[in-house]
Amino acid sequence: MENKTIARTLRLLSQLMELHNENPFKIKSVANAAFKVDKLPYAIQGKTLEEIGQIDGLGKSISAKVWELLETGTMAELQAILAETPEGIVEMLGIKGIGPKKIVVIWKDLGIENIGELYYACNENRLIEAKGFGLKTQEEIKKIIEFKMAAQGKFLYAHVEALVNKLYADLAVWLNTVSGDPLLGIAGDYRRCVEIIEEIELVIGANSPEEIQEKITAFKSMGFELQADGTYLSHSELGLKIILTVVQKADFYLNWFKLTGNVQHVNEVLTLAGEGPFEDEQAIYTKAGLAFVAPELREGLDEILLAKENKLPLLITDENLKGTLHNHSTWSDGVHTLEEMAVYCKDTLKLEYLGMCDHSKSAFYANGLNEQRIYAQHQEIDALNAKLAPFRIFKGIESDILYDGSLDYSDDILKTFDFVVASVHSILKMNEEKATSRLITAIENPYTTILGHPTGRLLLSRKGYPINYAKVIDACAANNVVIEINANPLRLDLDWRWHRYALEKGVLLSINPDAHRKEGFHDMHYGVLIGRKGGLTAKQCLNAFSLQDISQYFDNKK
């Protein structure tokens, strides 16, 4: 075992001891020993216990720990303290700029137990007010976590959108230097709006692919290199793989189609349509005897059958949304005041209504509302509704689903809200049976209007608790409960793969940004994209209802 490994193990032990508030003198001794071992000019491996005990800075107690580590590969004291520490907390110790003192605040005060939750908290601005933190520290932590995510070779759709848009625009300009009016398209998972992206695929159709090869070195935005298979490869600064395919212009639409769809979808369509050439993608589907299938739906599910029968859904668009539900203000852990959020929705986004759903009293870490503060908030909403009419603020709450499935307010309080979003925020370690039962109990509460982020997942960082989707959706159908598509790019929960089942059961979906600041409202765009993948139409989306219709819906529910 190398000295550096020994030093890292001792350093981890000292950090964990500090997390658990052990004797400061003992912590300092172990940390000092880690430093000494790391700087030794000779290897410890192979030395006797007595020889290790004579090393400056180790002493009898720590030399025994080092000996145990060399003999067994671990230390009993370390294993014991690891058993008392969530795995995600240990992982946080590897983030530069967060020492044990800050992690104690994150863990004990904010109730955060893994890096995914920490990243989400940064997005919610929850770290700014915490002891020992500030905006600068929060942004540094956020960037480090994003870099760690990128190192996995996987990226959130929202995180690559700006890069892809710029790359497309730059390529379009550059192609003006190429003869014959070449064609350009984005393909692959990105065009299908898949929530996690591993590579970006682009296709160019040119009269002379050889001219592209000659001039590609003049493209300054990104350096492409010709590969053995004839494609061009590049990587973004964060490591996102970008593949450029160049084909004859006459074959552009066929290749764009092939590079876009799921393999099963492509094969089924081309079996019916043949190999072209085609003047556009519409011509491919027409020749196959099918209605045009939007790129988001090309996943090899039932879209071919629907296209044959001309029963494809008219997919929802950003313009269909009339309001926004499930949002937070400074009444709990939001950045902007209730009035600032409302005015932004009314004047900037031109929406008809805002659903305010600050955290409930169980979310103490998010300044959740007790009963007295609910009353005060409702008074402010009444005053703002008089001031901003006909724009309407609905009185909502994000009520925590407790471990037994109950909501964390009495019925007398719950009935004062226009609508209730019920969400799980605590005790996320559950098996499928418990998680499903917990959600169904909450769904059966007559005051539950919307089931919030049903699995609690955080993409690329937290899997979420397992649920029996069919049973949960069936319960929502039976109890007239809407299911949220949480539009935060980290969540996108309900998963699009279950949207169709929900819609077939007659369950409404709601594209909710879970906004904690004004800018967060724009996340509804990502909710729309993922709703489109699931086959969502405006008629089946709650916040595509007009103000009059949603007011009636809430009244009927109550």
Side-chain angles (χ1 to χ4, degrees):
M1 184 178 292
E2 294 183 357
N3 286 3
K4 283 193 176 296
T5 303
I6 299 169
R8 277 198 301 268
T9 305
L10 289 170
R11 190 175 301 112
L12 174 61
L13 177 60
S14 71
Q15 291 173 321
L16 290 170
M17 290 166 66
E18 190 171 350
L19 277 182
H20 290 274
N21 199 30
E22 294 197 15
N23 186 300
F25 178 78
K26 188 178 177 183
I27 295 168
K28 189 173 181 180
S29 296
V30 176
N32 183 58
F35 179 80
K36 294 279 188 179
V37 168
D38 193 37
K39 300 300 180 184
L40 285 177
Y42 54 84
I44 294 180
Q45 180 76 46
K47 297 201 173 290
T48 66
L49 175 59
E50 291 73 21
E51 288 172 329
I52 294 171
Q54 292 172 8
I55 296 173
D56 179 43
L58 266 60
K60 184 176 180 181
S61 174
I62 295 175
S63 61
K65 297 183 199 302
V66 173
W67 177 257
E68 181 187 5
L69 178 62
L70 291 170
E71 289 293 300
T72 68
T74 187
M75 293 184 285
E77 185 177 357
L78 177 62
Q79 291 305 311
I81 201 166
L82 281 171
E84 298 175 4
T85 313
E87 188 177 332
I89 295 296
V90 177
E91 191 178 359
M92 279 184 211
L93 288 167
I95 298 178
K96 185 179 178 181
I98 311 184
K101 287 185 174 63
K102 282 189 170 69
I103 291 178
V104 168
V105 175
I106 291 167
W107 180 18
K108 300 298 185 181
D109 295 353
L110 300 180
I112 294 168
E113 292 193 352
N114 61 54
I115 288 178
E117 292 172 0
L118 177 60
Y119 184 67
Y120 190 72
C122 288
N123 277 278
E124 292 183 332
N125 265 23
R126 199 179 295 166
L127 262 65
I128 288 180
E129 301 300 328
K131 182 181 178 182
F133 291 87
L135 179 60
K136 184 178 178 182
T137 302
Q138 176 179 273
E139 291 306 308
E140 287 174 354
I141 291 170
K142 186 176 174 182
K143 286 179 182 177
I144 291 167
I145 297 175
E146 286 178 352
F147 186 79
K148 284 175 69 71
M149 288 180 178
Q152 302 169 15
K154 297 181 179 182
F155 299 79
L156 299 179
Y157 180 98
H159 285 177
V160 303
E161 187 179 40
L163 181 150
V164 174
N165 288 342
K166 184 178 186 306
L167 177 59
Y168 182 89
D170 290 348
L171 276 170
V173 171
W174 173 74
L175 284 173
N176 288 330
T177 68
V178 176
S179 62
D181 295 323
L183 301 170
L184 172 65
I186 302 169
D189 288 354
Y190 184 85
R191 190 179 180 210
R192 297 203 315 278
C193 300
V194 177
E195 62 272 37
I196 295 173
I197 303 295
E198 297 186 39
E199 61 186 26
I200 299 299
E201 296 181 74
L202 299 131
V203 57
I204 290 175
N207 288 335
S208 174
E210 294 77 17
E211 186 181 357
I212 298 290
Q213 184 175 341
E214 290 172 8
K215 293 184 175 181
I216 195 73
T217 54
F219 182 64
K220 301 300 182 184
S221 297
M222 192 164 284
F224 283 98
E225 293 185 3
L226 182 63
Q227 304 299 294
D229 63 358
T231 63
Y232 296 85
L233 178 66
S234 187
H235 291 87
S236 74
E237 289 183 4
L238 283 177
L240 176 63
K241 186 178 180 181
I242 299 165
I243 302 170
L244 175 63
T245 300
V246 181
V247 299
Q248 288 288 340
K249 188 174 180 179
D251 298 326
F252 172 78
Y253 288 104
L254 176 60
N255 283 277
W256 193 24
F257 169 79
K258 286 181 176 180
L259 290 170
T260 292
N262 167 285
V263 173
Q264 184 177 336
H265 178 92
V266 170
N267 290 341
E268 284 189 43
V269 174
L270 292 184
T271 298
L272 297 170
E275 286 289 329
F278 301 100
E279 61 183 17
D280 55 27
E281 282 192 315
Q282 176 68 65
I284 299 173
Y285 288 101
T286 299
K287 191 172 180 183
L290 303 171
F292 181 82
V293 179
E296 299 95 321
L297 297 178
R298 301 178 194 176
E299 291 289 350
L301 300 173
D302 63 348
E303 70 272 11
I304 301 294
L305 177 61
L306 293 175
K308 279 181 181 177
E309 299 175 351
N310 204 28
K311 292 181 179 178
L312 287 166
L314 181 61
L315 299 179
I316 193 166
T317 66
D318 290 341
E319 292 72 26
N320 291 140
L321 301 185
K322 305 300 183 187
T324 174
L325 305 171
H326 186 178
N327 303 289
H328 300 263
S329 71
T330 50
W331 278 96
S332 61
D333 60 345
V335 174
H336 294 110
T337 66
L338 201 161
E339 182 170 5
E340 287 171 330
M341 297 286 274
V343 169
Y344 190 81
C345 285
K346 176 179 180 289
D347 294 344
T348 303
L349 302 180
K350 307 301 182 185
L351 296 174
E352 297 178 12
Y353 53 86
L354 163 68
M356 188 51 61
C357 289
D358 279 299
H359 283 287
S360 60
K361 63 181 181 181
S362 295
F364 59 89
Y365 53 85
N367 193 28
L369 301 178
N370 61 26
E371 288 79 357
Q372 292 74 27
R373 295 179 66 227
I374 288 170
Y375 176 73
Q377 188 191 55
H378 286 183
Q379 286 186 308
E380 182 181 357
I381 290 174
D382 289 339
L384 285 171
N385 277 335
K387 178 180 178 181
L388 300 175
F391 184 85
R392 173 85 180 271
I393 303 171
F394 287 106
K395 298 169 183 173
I397 193 76
E398 186 177 18
S399 184
D400 271 28
I401 300 174
L402 303 179
Y403 194 64
D404 64 358
S406 62
L407 304 186
D408 61 343
Y409 292 118
S410 67
D411 288 356
D412 285 343
I413 298 298
L414 291 172
K415 70 183 181 183
T416 66
F417 298 104
D418 293 314
F419 72 108
V420 173
V421 175
S423 307
V424 171
H425 288 112
S426 61
I427 317 179
L428 304 181
K429 294 177 182 176
M430 300 176 283
N431 60 30
E432 182 179 303
E433 182 180 4
K434 173 59 185 175
T436 302
S437 171
R438 184 176 176 183
L439 291 186
I440 290 175
T441 299
I443 290 163
E444 291 174 345
N445 187 309
Y447 292 100
T448 297
T449 317
I450 301 173
L451 176 63
H453 43 72
T455 71
R457 75 180 187 182
L458 296 174
L459 294 170
L460 296 183
S461 50
R462 186 174 77 195
K463 189 176 180 181
Y465 39 84
I467 64 171
N468 184 314
Y469 282 92
K471 285 185 177 180
V472 169
I473 291 168
D474 289 348
C476 288
N479 292 276
N480 192 30
V481 169
V482 179
I483 300 180
E484 171 177 270
I485 301 174
N486 190 293
N488 185 304
L490 279 162
R491 290 191 182 274
L492 300 178
D493 184 16
L494 181 71
D495 190 293
W496 63 267
R497 296 160 187 83
W498 284 95
H499 290 186
R500 296 186 191 200
Y501 182 82
L503 297 173
E504 288 167 3
K505 291 291 182 176
V507 176
L508 290 174
L509 302 181
S510 183
I511 296 173
N512 296 343
D514 199 354
H516 286 69
R517 66 189 83 181
K518 293 184 292 186
E519 296 80 4
F521 291 125
H522 295 282
D523 284 346
M524 288 193 292
H525 165 67
Y526 303 109
V528 168
L529 294 181
I530 220 68
R532 288 173 63 87
K533 281 200 71 59
L536 181 62
T537 68
K539 290 181 179 179
Q540 297 163 303
C541 179
L542 180 62
N543 59 311
F545 285 19
S546 68
L547 174 58
Q548 180 180 347
D549 288 343
I550 199 168
S551 298
Q552 188 64 56
Y553 181 87
F554 288 153
D555 288 344
N556 291 344
K557 175 70 176 176
K558 291 179 73 173

